[in-house]
Amino acid sequence: MSDQDFANTSDPLGSPKAGLSSDLDNLAAYVSSLTKTPPSPYRDAGGVLTSEGLAGRAVFESRRCGFCHSGSSFTDGKRHDVGTVKPSSGLGIGQPLAGVGFDTPTLKGVWNTAPYLHDGQASTLEDVLNSDEHIIGDALSAAEMGQLVAYLLQIDDREAAPAAVPVPSSSPWDLIVLASIFAAAITGIRMRSNRLKTIPTSWERPN
């Protein structure tokens, strides 16, 4: 590829480089051929989910993980902000990443792709799931954590695609924020109510 061709196609979202370099064309063809996920070694000998994996699938469904990780590739192909954006994360398509987030990664073969998150800040799946922004609802119990991790480690091409999960909000994390605000409001009302109970009424004479 000539320097001029490289300069003309330097924008990742601009003109394609296809046909300008045989090496790049061959590399692109090879990467495009990588469509299969290696079988997970965490499954039973017969290639089926373990009992822990089956329990983890139920946790996956009940916690609405399919809101982001759905379809045959276990990803909705969208971008989500799950609280991992840092000043050092840079920009995405020339725009700040806060509130936009990163592309949802596939869960296929996740047993072999540590460390996790866009900058590798999570060494284990437990580290990912311990993030408040990554779980809808209450924190996972120790049993749920173990089961969900067991399931994630067993996801490969043999696992059926999870259905997309509709959430009545722009994102599940909006629901968490709204729930927190509502809880704070209720707490404030109760505190004010308790204070009012201690105020003597007009027909009561304080001691």
Side-chain angles (χ1 to χ4, degrees), residues 37 60 65 68-70 73-75 104-111 113 125 134 151-156 162:
T37 304
F60 184 95
C65 299
C68 299
H69 297 283
S70 60
S73 296
F74 281 77
T75 172
T104 304
T106 179
L107 295 181
K108 283 189 172 183
V110 74
W111 60 271
T113 58
L125 291 173
H134 226 109
Y151 174 61
L152 296 176
L153 291 174
Q154 296 176 47
I155 294 176
D156 55 23

Side-chain angles (χ1 to χ4, degrees), residues 93-178:
I93 317 180
Q95 301 295 323
L97 291 167
V100 177
F102 302 92
D103 294 333
T104 304
T106 179
L107 295 181
K108 283 189 172 183
V110 74
W111 60 271
N112 195 35
T113 58
Y116 305 104
L117 302 179
H118 74 281
D119 57 357
Q121 63 180 275
S123 300
T124 66
L125 291 173
E126 287 86 350
D127 292 336
V128 175
L129 298 174
N130 274 325
S131 168
D132 292 338
E133 294 86 354
H134 226 109
I135 292 295
I136 300 176
D138 297 332
L140 294 170
S141 67
E144 288 177 320
M145 175 71 77
Q147 292 163 351
L148 183 54
V149 168
Y151 174 61
L152 296 176
L153 291 174
Q154 296 176 47
I155 294 176
D156 55 23
D157 287 339
R158 293 168 289 188
E159 184 62 13
V165 177
V167 175
S169 175
S170 59
S171 77
W173 299 277
D174 290 342
L175 296 179
I176 296 173
V177 172
L178 290 175

